[in-house]
Amino acid sequence: MKKVAVVVFKGTNCENETFHALEACGYESEYVWSDKSISLMKYNAVVLPGGFSYGDYLRSGALARFTPIMKSVEKYVEGNHGTVIGICNGFQILTEAGLLPGAFMKNSSGKFVCKMVNLKVESDILPFEYVNLYVAHGDGNYVIGEDEFKKLKKENRILFTYKDNPNGSFKDIAGVINKNFNVFGMMPHPERSAFPFHKNRDGLKVLKAIVESEFKEGEEVG
């Protein structure tokens, strides 16, 4: 069974939903804490869930980026040991750490947005064309330079775009991938579309497709 680490920062508030959504995908989930630098090599994937790490002081993810566990995440990425997924605040942390391109500003409306959105799948890593997932953020306005955007587009590194942009993100971008295709960031919350009571389970197929994209059958982990 594949193992997935769920990183908990001070202020994270989606760790439980993420943990159970990953278990519903058939993975063994474990919490790891941001104040400890530990080896992550035994995990097939590492997930940074949503929330308000350190109260979003300075900028969303700006303080969490300096926690001990992020050194472990960086080593995990550099060694290409598995997949890293950042969801909402997790995505913001990954951009602050330089593991994904771009940055975040407050929503163009100036308001917190919480609703279901329709997403177009831009990368062929995900074997479907559209998904519906919830967003819940106040600083979801993704910004990136024109040259870097062209690079993302050319290299098939845009994960999702919004059908109806809820936050003003550049070119409707809702998720991106790093150059080695082992770090994924998305503003929508797949863990909030995972169980029958959600009346939408698109989140499970998104999580499974991303985790499986980097896993090779028969490969030893740890």
Side-chain angles (χ1 to χ4, degrees):
M1 181 182 290
K2 304 172 188 63
K3 293 184 178 180
V4 182
V6 178
V7 181
V8 182
F9 299 90
K10 294 178 180 178
T12 297
N13 62 18
C14 297
E15 69 272 27
N16 292 333
E17 297 95 325
T18 303
F19 181 100
H20 292 296
L22 290 163
E23 296 250 309
C25 289
Y27 306 134
E28 179 183 346
S29 302
E30 292 181 0
Y31 294 119
V32 297
W33 309 101
S34 63
D35 58 351
K36 296 179 181 179
S37 180
I38 63 169
S39 173
L40 298 170
M41 305 313 173
K42 70 177 181 178
Y43 300 106
N44 297 100
V46 176
V47 180
L48 281 60
F52 302 93
S53 59
Y54 294 88
D56 281 350
Y57 290 115
L58 301 182
R59 294 180 307 277
S60 298
L63 296 178
R65 176 261 180 277
F66 291 103
T67 54
I69 195 62
M70 288 306 297
K71 291 291 184 183
S72 303
V73 172
E74 289 169 6
K75 290 179 181 178
Y76 185 83
V77 172
E78 289 169 4
N80 199 24
H81 294 286
T83 304
V84 173
I85 305 170
I87 301 168
C88 198
N89 188 228
F91 186 5
Q92 295 162 339
I93 295 167
L94 291 173
T95 61
E96 289 287 338
L99 295 174
L100 286 173
F104 286 92
M105 297 174 61
K106 291 192 178 299
N107 296 343
S108 57
S109 66
K111 298 178 180 179
F112 188 89
V113 176
C114 183
K115 65 178 184 178
M116 180 76 74
V117 296
N118 182 249
L119 301 162
K120 181 182 178 184
V121 176
E122 301 287 349
S123 173
D124 56 14
I125 279 180
L126 302 183
F128 31 87
E129 294 183 13
Y130 295 93
V131 290
N132 294 305
L133 299 174
Y134 281 100
V135 293
H137 55 250
D139 300 301
N141 186 351
Y142 182 73
V143 294
I144 194 168
E146 185 71 41
D147 289 344
E148 188 67 32
F149 165 73
K150 291 178 180 177
K151 188 175 181 181
L152 289 176
K153 189 84 171 175
K154 181 180 179 182
E155 296 175 358
N156 189 34
R157 290 168 51 203
I158 298 175
L159 185 61
F160 302 120
T161 54
Y162 299 108
K163 182 179 179 182
D164 296 304
N165 194 332
N167 50 41
S169 289
F170 185 76
K171 300 293 185 180
D172 304 321
I173 292 174
V176 300
I177 312 166
N178 73 334
K179 63 181 181 180
N180 292 328
F181 285 79
N182 63 347
V183 181
F184 296 76
M186 66 182 81
M187 284 311 289
H189 288 264
E191 77 281 2
R192 297 186 183 184
S193 296
F195 298 99
F197 57 81
H198 289 144
K199 299 182 180 180
N200 170 21
R201 305 188 77 181
D202 285 357
L204 291 187
K205 66 182 185 181
V206 169
L207 288 172
K208 285 200 78 168
I210 293 176
V211 172
E212 299 293 332
S213 71
E214 283 296 318
F215 183 79
K216 299 178 178 62
E217 283 302 324
E219 181 177 316
E220 291 292 325
V221 176

